[in-house]
């Protein structure tokens, strides 16, 4: 397999990191990584933990993260069959970033809500 030629700047159109940033930038990817960071988790546990994600979106997100080498999918031999997801070594390098972003959003959501309201009021004038 030939090594891809990578342009070092993700701000350029030719850099494939832009596609990766797009995939990681969706809310479900970062939340899945944050949940799976601590321990392996089964699909149903993930779906219950991340409220509002549909089964279809969670499946698509997990497939995307697996394709990118961030999440490992393991079929357990237990009855009934179950699947668990865990971070790969590469995924573990991303986990602190995902958790920091989640924590920042939780800590500053009130300020952002006020800024949104202020902006809406200003635009309504």
């Amino acid at each position: 397999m030939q090594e891809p030629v990578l342009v070092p700047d993700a701000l350029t159109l030719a850099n494939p990191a832009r596609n990766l940033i797009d995939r990681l930038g969706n809310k479900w990817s970062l939340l899945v990584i944050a949940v799976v960071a601590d321990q392996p988790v089964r699909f149903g546990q993930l779906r219950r933990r991340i409220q509002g994600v549909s089964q279809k979106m969670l499946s698509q997100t997990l497939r995307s993260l697996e394709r990118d080498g961030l999440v490992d999918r393991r079929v357990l031999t237990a009855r009934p069959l179950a699947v668990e997801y865990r971070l790969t070594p590469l995924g573990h390098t991303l986990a602190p970033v995902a958790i920091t972003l989640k924590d920042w959003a939780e800590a500053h959501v009130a300020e952002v809500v006020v800024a949104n309201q202020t902006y809406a009021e200003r635009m309504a004038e």
Side-chain angles (χ1 to χ4, degrees):
M1 179 177 206
Q2 187 178 5
E3 284 287 320
V5 177
L6 300 179
V7 178
D9 185 357
L11 299 177
T12 62
L13 284 172
N15 192 313
R18 290 176 77 139
N19 294 328
L20 180 58
I21 290 168
D22 184 50
R23 287 191 304 276
L24 293 175
N26 82 60
K27 63 183 167 186
W28 305 125
S29 293
L30 290 177
L31 293 176
V32 166
I33 291 167
V35 171
V36 178
D38 294 332
Q39 62 187 12
V41 180
R42 292 184 182 187
F43 185 90
Q45 292 171 304
L46 266 173
R47 186 141 182 246
R48 284 187 298 278
R49 181 71 178 96
I50 304 172
Q51 295 180 5
V53 66
S54 68
Q55 183 171 340
K56 178 182 177 183
M57 279 309 304
L58 183 55
S59 293
Q60 288 176 354
T61 300
L62 288 165
R63 264 194 305 277
S64 176
L65 293 171
E66 184 180 8
R67 182 181 57 244
D68 289 338
L70 301 170
V71 168
D72 184 41
R73 178 183 185 271
R74 292 200 179 149
V75 177
L76 305 174
T77 57
R79 292 283 181 212
L81 278 177
V83 176
E84 81 176 8
Y85 297 89
R86 63 181 63 215
L87 291 183
T88 63
L90 181 60
H92 278 288
T93 67
L94 180 59
V97 176
I99 292 166
T100 298
L101 185 55
K102 180 185 89 50
D103 291 347
W104 181 91
E106 291 168 349
H108 296 283
V109 67
E111 296 163 78
V112 173
V113 168
V114 168
N116 278 253
Q117 291 169 343
T118 302
Y119 178 84
E121 290 166 4
R122 213 174 46 236
M123 291 297 110
E125 294 176 352

